Amino acid sequence: MSKGGFMKDALILFAITLIAGACLGGVYEITKGPIEAANLAAKEEAFRTVLADAASFKLDDYTQALEKANTDAPGLGFGNVSVDECATGLDGSGAAFGYVVTTTSKDGYGGDITVSVGITADGEVKGIEFLTIAETAGLGMNATQPEWKAQYADKTVEQFTVTKSGASSDGEIDAISGATITSNAVTGAVNLALYFVNNCVEQ
């Protein structure tokens, strides 16, 4: 092939690549909005599980609050935990009713445990739901049982503690038999969500 022919082919290939890139960019811009809306709709389904009384949800920019919580987290005694995301639950008038805080504990027996926690603006935990959990079947996986998760619901406390001797107050969570590690990991994640709402979010 002559040098001129090679250059011609290279230019054609470059032009095709450029046009294809521009088309993909255009498609991305066109589809970005609908994709984000679909993702939010899917998330809202999960949000509503833990904050059922909210009329709607929006994903606000909580960058500074997230940074504060994750900077403070190592000194709080909740284990190896972090806040991943927060959505605001709105009432019928559009005012902030509460928050759905997603936190992750790396202290699970079987790996990371990620949980969404619904918390009202005045600090009442309304419920929790697992997004990621891979604990031992028949032991740590019992954390996903409704009756165990319900221990956190409708409680207004500064933080929860795990007990093996039977919960005697709103702030105590009965440990799962044979799975104290899982119980502590979940409780640490919930506690960081509470800390985030009570100390990091500007209300």
Side-chain angles (χ1 to χ4, degrees):
M1 179 183 293
S2 68
K3 184 177 180 181
F6 177 80
M7 289 298 295
K8 182 180 177 183
D9 289 346
L11 287 170
I12 290 171
L13 182 59
F14 174 76
I16 291 171
T17 304
L18 190 65
I19 292 167
C23 289
L24 286 173
V27 169
Y28 172 75
E29 287 301 321
I30 291 169
T31 59
K32 183 171 70 170
I35 289 172
E36 287 179 351
N39 287 341
L40 182 57
K43 284 184 176 182
E44 281 197 14
E45 189 77 22
F47 295 163
R48 205 165 295 286
T49 302
V50 297
L51 199 65
D53 292 335
S56 61
F57 299 87
K58 67 175 180 175
L59 291 171
D60 287 318
D61 182 5
Y62 285 105
T63 301
Q64 290 185 332
L66 290 168
E67 288 176 352
K68 174 174 170 46
N70 290 326
T71 298
D72 294 349
L76 298 174
F78 301 153
N80 190 0
V81 291
S82 61
V83 183
D84 306 323
E85 183 181 63
C86 178
T88 307
L90 308 175
D91 64 18
S93 69
F97 166 77
Y99 307 91
V100 178
V101 186
T102 301
T103 55
T104 296
S105 171
K106 295 186 177 299
D107 296 329
Y109 186 80
D112 291 358
I113 296 175
T114 301
V115 60
S116 283
V117 186
I119 304 172
T120 63
D122 59 2
E124 181 183 8
V125 176
K126 299 304 293 182
I128 72 168
E129 190 58 57
F130 292 99
L131 302 181
T132 303
I133 184 169
E135 301 297 272
T136 305
L139 294 171
M141 284 304 290
N142 286 334
T144 63
Q145 294 297 319
E147 59 270 21
W148 194 80
K149 293 187 294 184
Q151 292 185 91
Y152 299 94
D154 303 317
K155 305 283 179 66
T156 304
V157 298
E158 186 174 335
Q159 67 181 66
F160 293 98
T161 57
V162 174
T163 179
K164 295 181 180 180
S165 57
S168 59
S169 69
D170 280 355
E172 291 186 328
I173 300 296
D174 277 324
I176 302 163
S177 179
T180 304
I181 290 174
T182 304
S183 305
N184 283 325
V186 175
T187 300
V190 175
N191 282 339
L192 185 59
L194 268 171
Y195 179 84
F196 176 81
V197 170
N198 292 333
N199 298 280
C200 304
V201 174
E202 293 185 8
Q203 301 184 32

